[in-house]
Structures are given as structure tokens and as C-alpha cells.
Amino acid sequence: MNELARQSLDASAKAVRAIDWSWLTPYKTWLPGVGPRDVRADLLAALTGAIVVLPQGVAFATIAGMPPEYGLYASMIPAIIAAWFGSSRHLVSGPTTAASVVLFSTLSTMAVPGTPDYVALALTLTFMVGMLELILGFARLGALVNFISHSVVVGFTAGAAVLIAAKQIKHFFGIEMDSSGHLHEIMFHFGRHVLELNPSATLVAAATLALGIACKVWLPKIPYMIVALIGGSLLALGLNHWLGPQTTGIATVGALPATLPPLSSPSLTFEHIRQLAPSALAVTLFALTEAVSIGRALGARGGYRIDGNQEFIGQGLSNLAGSFFSGYVATGSFNRSGVNYEAGARTPLAAIFAAFMLMAIVLLVAPYAAFLPKAAMAGILFLVAWGLIDLKEIGHILHSSKRETAVLGVTFFSAVFLELEFAIFAGVLLSLVLYLERTSKPRIVTMAPDPRLPNHAFGEDPETPQCPQLRFLRIDGSVFFGSVAHVEQYFDRIRAEHPQQKHLAVFANGINFVDLQGGVALRNEMTRRIDAGGGMYLIHVKEGLWNALESCGCLDATGGRNVFQAKTAAIRGIYQKLDKNVCATCTTRIFRECNA
């Protein structure tokens, strides 16, 4: 018994050693090379990042319908976990505009924003997103985000930006109105209450917006958000001092608790999980796309590569931790990651240092948020929304591709007029449909030796004389179940239009893949040609294509004798099978063998 137990323990120990635990120690690739200069550069970059995230965190929490402090909490522990377990050296994780908008769009129909029930749902959604990200990372599905095209991201981001601005109209103009629902509903409510606007709140919001634009244009090196927020807050204080708070009616954010992230727990009931499952999947796909795309872009600029699967794991652990430390959905941030890189960060320590610095700053300045006007926050969010709309890239898509324009339009209008999570699925689905539609119709062209080209090379000019018994084709694309119908229809047409050309030679160097149904279609065409007294031949067959045809038994009709790896050998071999009586009266004589 003891021997069996010992053998069992040995087997268990070997199994544990066989498991790849490298995902727990990604820091081994960069931490040993960190020196004093790197630490110094990371500390300076971290200070900039901690200052920048302060107004952004509050703003994003406002967008998400969460208490303002939760935006700061989501920038602390989750950012540390993501930096430590991720693979990017410059990516900074935390709350983002898009994730915040999706969160609000999803949860506002289930609970009143800002209430304990709403927060509990947000924590649950964060936990579910973290689990999905972790599962995808362990399953090595890092390439999954490649199915979300660039046009989907651009369209979704632009749609989210429009919604951000629309939902802040009430605070920008100081109007009491319902800002939930879709764009047309918000604008309808605004039209009903437009005469009730608050001049003082509107002045503060407009001044904040103008100051932010001015700083961004003329003083790009200073944190324009902080300057604009301070300017708007000072203007609100001045108006309250001169006119009185009762007259101005300028609402403020209220004091934030000067505490570190408190422990929290998601509500993991079956009903909540069932309700949030579709949204969790949509948020997961977009969050991972955002994080990996930012990481790749910064990695290319920094001269290193990121591991998509490890980034999935880092983001998953980040959100799992955030759900227990009062954070909501976190992912890679465009703004803070760019600031981190431009500020001279060299390693993930910069993001970690920034999170700890933010904790210290919150303890010192949180009470002063009582003087932060909601109108000023609305002005800042107008700036954030405008920055999210990539007009240059939208113009590029509109002028370069009708297909990508359709994907962009569907995603954008779905985000604006439908549900945000549906917009992602709609964009991805349309992208896949258009891709399949394109691959289902591989390009098929007729080839022939062109006397105008050097050495009578084969060309695609339809006016080039054809051999009366033999036709050459080139197929550019895979022959699989989705494209079989198109290929078979083409074969049927050339047999009907040119019955005298009983022999068909296919240049197969453009065929990368053939599945069972595609192989059967090629074999059936070979059989028809043979039964009609001709034949079908494949030229320049790749090894992968040969193996696929052989494994599915699609070469049985010819035994592989009609497969050639060289064009010259193919012509010589096929010429021997042509009807010499027809050759005797032929005037085209396009092959060397004809003249011989």
C-alpha cells in the first residue's frame, strides 16, 4: 500500500512539473535587466501617469454610472496585477471610456446607477469578464481578437464617443432630465427641457471645454485635463461667491472617501450570471482587443513583441482582483498607455509605481472633490469624446474600401441607436460574413502563352489565342465547402461554352487549402473530363495541397499521373494526349511542341 501511495505521489509530482507554469513568472523576461536608470525613468513616468489618471478615473466612473471613487479604485490594484502578469512593458490598465459606456448601457436597465445594487452588478460583470479572459488565455486563444477588425474598433469607439457626449448634456447645461436610453431618446428629452438650461452651469462647462482645448493645442506638454478641471472649478467657486450657490445652482461631484480600495464581493447568483453573460462576452472581446492592440502598437515602437495569450491572462487576473477590491472592468487605456510611453517609461514598473502613487494622492486630495462641479466634468468628457472619434481613420476607411465602410457604418449606428454590446457582435458578424463572401468566390482566370511576353510566358489577356483542345486556368484562393459551388459553376460554364477543349490544366500555386468537399469537386471534374475523352491536370501543386488531395482519396482517378510540378513538363506531357488530327489543322500553334 505504501509503495502504491509513493508511486501515486511520484506520478502527481511529475504531472505538476509537466504543467507549464511560466504564465506566473512573465516578469523574468524583463525584471533581471532593470537597472537604476530604468527605475528612475519609471518613477518619473509614474508620477505623470498618477496625475493624469486622477481626473480620468472620476470621469470614467461618472460615465459608467458608478460612484466617482470606483474609477480611482479600478486604477489601483487592477493596474498593478495587469502590469506584473502581462507581457507589455508600457501598457497601463484601468477603466476606459468604451468599457464604462458598455457597463452603463448594460446595467442601467437592471438597477439604478450609483446604487448598491448597481455596484454589485458591476462587480459581478467584472468578475465574469476576468474569468472569460483567463479561460481564453489558458486556452491559448490570443489570436481570437484578430477577428475583431480595425473598422469594428473605429466604429464602436466613435459610437461610444457620441453616446458619452449625449449622456453628459444634462450636466453640461445643468438640466434635470433623463439621460438613459439611446441617442434619439436622449435628444428628445433634451429638446423638451432645453429652455430650462442653467446659465451658470453652462458657462462653467463651456469655459472648461475651451480651456482644455486651448491647453491641448498650445500647451500640449501639460496635463490639459487637470488644468481645465482646476479652471472650471475656480470659475464655479467665483460664481458661487458672487451670486450665491442658491442662484447659480451648480451641482458638484461631492467629496470622495480618502481611503484605499475596500474589499468587495461580486454577486454570483445564477440569475445575475444568466443576465450578464452576453454583455460579459461582448465586454471581454472588446476589452481584450483594446489591450492587445495597444500593447502591440507600443511594442512595435519600443522594439519588442508581446505575448497575446499572456496578455489575456494578465487582463483576466486584473479584473478578477478588481472585483474583490472595489474596481470595475479594467483594460488597456489608450490615453494612459500613450502618456506612459511618451513620459519615458521603460518597464512595467512604471504602471506599478503609478498605481501606488495614485493611492497616496487619493488619500491627500480626495476631500477636495467636493469643489469639483459636474458641469466641469461634463466639459472634460466632451473633450474625451471628441478625442475618441478618429476622423482621419474614418476618412481613410470611407475612401479605401466599401466593405470596411459597411462594417464601420453598421458598428457605429448599432452603437448609437441599439445596444453597445450588440454593436460589437454586429460588426464582428458582418466582418466574418464579408470575409466568407470574398473567400467563397476565388478568382479564376484563363491563361495562355503570350507571344508579346518574354519567352512566351503565360498571361491573362483574354484576347490571347487559345489551344483548341486545351485550356489553362489559374485559381487564386482555397477550394473549400464555401467556394466549391463557385468553382464548379465555372467548370460547368467552360465545358458548355468550349466543348472542344476536352483537356483542362489548372495552375494550382494559388490554391493554399482544399478540404474534403473541395477535393471531391476537383476529382469529379477530372472524372468528367476523362469520360469525355480528355483529362484534367494540376500544375505547381504545393506540398500541403498534395497531402490534402491524397489524404481524401481525390487523386485516385488519375493515380497522381496528371499532377506536374513544372509548366514545361506539363505541356510536354499533355501534348502527347491531344488529338493529332486536330493538331494537324490547327493554326494557332502556341506551344513549341506544335512547331516541332
Side-chain angles (χ1 to χ4, degrees), residues 26 40 48 53 55 120 122 181 207 210 225 237 252 267 314 316 352 367 384 437 445 587:
R40 192 179 305 113
T48 303
V53 76
M225 283 191 179
L237 283 174
T252 62
S267 174
I352 296 173
V384 171
E437 190 273 335
V445 293
T587 58

Side-chain angles (χ1 to χ4, degrees), residues 452-533:
R452 296 166 297 181
L453 297 177
N455 299 321
H456 286 209
F458 275 71
E460 303 177 12
D461 189 348
E463 301 299 325
T464 305
Q466 294 278 331
C467 172
Q469 300 186 69
L470 171 62
R471 174 172 289 263
F472 286 89
L473 296 179
R474 190 183 72 230
I475 301 177
D476 296 330
S478 298
V479 184
F480 67 109
F481 67 92
S483 63
V484 162
H486 175 74
V487 174
E488 288 180 331
Q489 288 172 4
Y490 196 93
F491 286 161
D492 293 342
R493 188 169 72 250
I494 60 174
R495 263 190 283 104
E497 294 177 354
H498 307 281
Q500 73 281 7
Q501 291 181 319
K502 298 179 180 181
H503 297 270
L504 177 66
V506 177
F507 288 105
N509 51 312
I511 304 176
N512 295 315
F513 170 73
V514 167
D515 68 354
L516 178 60
Q517 194 170 342
V520 170
L522 295 178
R523 184 185 63 187
N524 290 342
E525 183 64 20
M526 290 180 183
T527 303
R528 291 190 189 97
R529 294 275 174 178
I530 292 172
D531 292 343

Side-chain angles (χ1 to χ4, degrees), residues 119-243:
V119 172
L121 288 174
L123 295 174
T124 303
L125 181 64
T126 303
F127 179 86
M128 293 173 65
V129 169
M131 284 299 300
L132 287 173
E133 291 174 333
L134 204 57
I135 291 170
L136 292 175
F138 285 141
R140 318 298 293 174
L141 295 176
L144 185 64
V145 296
N146 295 333
F147 289 98
I148 302 182
S149 70
H150 181 61
S151 299
V152 172
V153 175
V154 173
F156 176 86
T157 307
V162 172
L163 284 181
I164 289 169
K167 291 180 183 295
Q168 292 303 312
I169 286 177
K170 59 180 291 186
H171 297 306
F172 194 97
F173 294 102
I175 298 173
E176 290 295 329
M177 56 172 270
D178 182 10
S179 62
S180 61
H182 305 300
L183 177 64
H184 57 283
E185 297 171 334
I186 297 173
M187 298 311 296
F188 174 75
H189 291 306
F190 175 65
R192 291 178 57 191
H193 296 275
V194 67
L195 298 179
E196 303 171 10
L197 65 84
N198 183 330
S200 299
T202 305
L203 178 61
V204 170
T208 304
L209 178 61
L211 184 57
I213 294 173
C215 290
K216 195 172 183 179
V217 173
W218 291 306
L219 299 172
K221 293 186 177 181
I222 68 172
Y224 69 93
M225 283 191 179
I226 294 178
V227 173
L229 272 178
I230 292 174
S233 300
L234 291 176
L235 176 59
L237 283 174
L239 292 174
N240 286 334
H241 177 71
W242 294 322
L243 303 176

